[in-house]
Amino acid sequence: MASGIETDSVQLDKAIPFKLEELKIGLKNLSYLLSENQIFRFESYAFDFSGGRMDLEKISLELNQEWYEQAKNQPEQKEIMEFDIGSVAIRGLSEASQFGDSLMIIAESITLDSVDFKIGKDKNRPFPPKELKQDFSYLLEALTFPMKVDSVKVTNSAVTYSEIGSGQTLPGKINLSEVNGLVLNVSTIEEVERENSLYVTLSAVFDGSGKLSLEVHENYFEREWEADLTLEDMDMKDLNQTVNNLAGIFIASGKLNKLHLNMEANASFSDNHFLMEYEDFKIELLNPEHHKKGFLSSLANLAVHKQHKPGDKHFQELAYATPRDPYKGPINLIWLSAKDGLLATVPIKAARKLMVHSKNDKRGRKNGKKENN
């Protein structure tokens, strides 16, 4: 519905190329076949031009087969995605936005509610060609159109990452539930990036029980970023859905009181500070058929600290550097940095020498004191 149209007043630089008082557009129950195996749908779409509002309800990207079936038929490793989104609300949509032959979005805010995002990868497939990757902002560079949004808010959402490890047939999973997040200064426009920094804050429940929080600051122009990650109050047995298939480990018991990782990252490495407090930790090693290895499990438990708490003689806070793989993104660097901290904390000193780290060059206590067994 449109009213107050002035056809003799042309505005080629605006979303609607002529003046009008009111424009409202509504669509319902649209579906589009993106590929042989992917269907995009939404239940309703409403656009109020004069009010600067756009609303979409019940959006989905659906697969017509299980993700792992699609992944194993790919010529190379590929992340297979599917999602459901309860609603998307865009507010403060500028008249400078464009939705014709070229796309440009300039808005005050975007809110996504009840997102259920799933992604899976089969590492038995060949590696794809290597491609240099940047930092968190490189994710925005995948957008091929100009975009400037003051804030993006995510509420009441969930993310599931599944991975079939090399030589494995069953996936390990990482589940984030109760995801709530805020991203400020989202932009793919260079002039805006010079003036503002990207800021991300996120809270979630990790693998069913752990309280996760993440905060990221990135300078668009200098491509340097800082991250602060905390995971608290977690029953470590809930990690079994992740480590059983990917690492061949069963966690019999354990309580994570706190894990804290602080990172200052650039294009080459990250400087990290890591602290982990846990207790009552016990593991079982699994064979490929997921049967427990009794003798080897006993040896493994002799090789790890059962607890790591203030007052223990081996308790330490770590400072170290983790090199960056230029062909992988920032999430991989966070994982490698956390893994280096875990491998320097949980195993006893003798066992630690047999384990592969990320070639850290500054692992040790902050205060430089000698490490205890």
Side-chain angles (χ1 to χ4, degrees):
M1 179 185 73
S3 63
I5 299 175
E6 298 181 24
T7 57
D8 58 346
S9 179
V10 178
Q11 311 176 121
L12 295 178
D13 61 338
K14 301 296 177 65
I16 306 300
F18 41 79
K19 289 184 178 180
L20 48 77
E21 292 180 359
E22 184 178 30
L23 173 67
K24 293 182 179 181
I25 300 172
L27 295 172
K28 288 185 177 294
N29 299 321
L30 181 143
S31 62
Y32 181 74
L33 186 65
L34 293 178
S35 68
E36 182 181 354
N37 299 309
Q38 288 183 316
I39 301 174
F40 176 78
R41 306 178 191 273
F42 66 78
E43 186 174 284
S44 67
Y45 163 81
F47 176 39
D48 179 352
F49 174 75
S50 57
R53 301 163 59 96
M54 185 181 294
D55 292 276
L56 295 96
E57 301 286 339
K58 295 187 177 178
I59 312 150
S60 65
L61 177 64
E62 303 171 5
L63 303 176
N64 63 3
Q65 61 183 167
E66 296 292 342
W67 74 265
Y68 48 82
E69 293 291 341
Q70 187 167 335
K72 75 178 182 180
N73 292 323
Q74 300 298 315
E76 59 193 30
Q77 289 183 24
K78 181 180 179 181
E79 294 174 338
I80 307 299
M81 294 182 291
E82 54 186 321
F83 60 77
D84 289 285
I85 304 175
S87 64
V88 177
I90 303 177
R91 298 292 182 265
L93 193 63
S94 168
E95 291 184 1
S97 299
Q98 298 178 14
F99 300 96
D101 293 337
S102 61
L103 178 63
M104 179 167 68
I105 297 177
I106 299 178
E108 293 177 1
S109 69
I110 299 178
T111 300
L112 298 92
D113 182 63
S114 301
V115 179
D116 186 5
F117 183 75
K118 298 176 182 177
I119 186 167
K121 179 188 286 188
D122 186 346
K123 288 199 168 182
N124 291 298
R125 307 306 302 149
F127 283 106
K130 288 188 175 182
E131 177 183 346
L132 291 173
K133 294 186 178 180
Q134 301 293 331
D135 301 305
F136 283 91
S137 56
Y138 94 90
L139 300 170
L140 299 175
E141 292 173 1
L143 301 174
T144 58
F145 58 88
M147 178 179 185
K148 175 188 175 297
V149 180
D150 295 340
S151 68
V152 177
K153 187 176 183 181
V154 179
T155 57
N156 307 315
S157 296
V159 178
T160 301
Y161 175 76
S162 302
E163 181 181 296
I164 300 175
S166 179
Q168 303 294 320
T169 58
L170 297 174
K173 294 183 179 181
I174 294 175
N175 289 315
L176 299 180
S177 58
E178 300 179 33
V179 177
N180 293 281
L182 178 67
V183 187
L184 300 180
N185 304 319
V186 179
S187 174
T188 60
I189 301 173
E190 184 174 337
E191 290 79 5
V192 177
E193 294 174 357
R194 289 176 180 271
E195 298 177 357
N196 299 292
S197 296
L198 182 69
Y199 172 77
V200 181
T201 181
L202 174 77
S203 66
V205 174
F206 183 84
D207 273 359
S209 65
K211 298 176 181 177
L212 176 73
S213 64
L214 175 66
E215 187 172 325
V216 176
H217 294 261
E218 180 181 336
N219 185 308
Y220 275 112
F221 198 62
E222 295 180 1
R223 298 296 189 183
E224 295 180 349
W225 52 275
E226 299 179 11
D228 196 84
L229 181 147
T230 302
L231 181 62
E232 296 179 300
D233 195 24
M234 181 170 189
D235 184 344
M236 296 173 76
K237 295 193 299 296
D238 289 330
L239 291 170
N240 281 319
Q241 64 179 324
T242 302
V243 301
N244 284 179
N245 294 324
L246 291 179
I249 294 173
F250 175 79
I251 299 176
S253 65
K255 172 66 182 302
L256 175 65
N257 297 321
K258 181 178 182 179
L259 183 154
H260 180 237
L261 172 66
N262 180 267
M263 304 172 60
E264 296 183 4
N266 56 38
S268 302
F269 64 91
S270 67
D271 273 322
N272 306 316
H273 291 83
F274 180 90
L275 176 65
M276 183 179 183
E277 299 177 16
Y278 66 90
E279 57 190 291
D280 191 30
F281 183 60
K282 183 179 179 181
I283 61 173
E284 302 280 355
L285 301 185
L286 305 175
N287 64 20
E289 290 74 37
H290 281 213
H291 298 146
K292 296 177 182 179
K293 301 177 180 179
F295 177 68
L296 291 178
S297 295
S298 298
L299 291 180
N301 281 295
L302 292 175
V304 300
H305 294 298
K306 305 299 182 293
Q307 67 178 37
H308 189 259
K309 299 169 65 177
D312 294 339
K313 68 176 185 178
H314 56 268
F315 182 80
Q316 57 183 335
E317 183 175 353
L318 302 168
Y320 55 94
T322 298
R324 176 173 182 173
D325 184 340
Y327 299 105
K328 296 186 178 180
I331 301 301
N332 176 262
L333 183 56
I334 292 176
W335 158 240
L336 291 179
S337 298
K339 184 177 75 171
D340 283 346
L342 289 167
L343 293 181
T345 300
V346 178
I348 64 173
K349 189 174 181 180
R352 204 174 303 152
K353 295 177 180 178
L354 304 176
M355 297 185 174
V356 178
H357 297 261
S358 296
K359 298 180 181 178
N360 301 355
D361 57 9
K362 293 192 290 183
R363 187 181 300 112
R365 283 194 177 198
K366 274 184 170 182
N367 57 18
K369 290 184 180 179
K370 185 177 179 181
E371 210 174 296
N372 293 314
N373 289 339

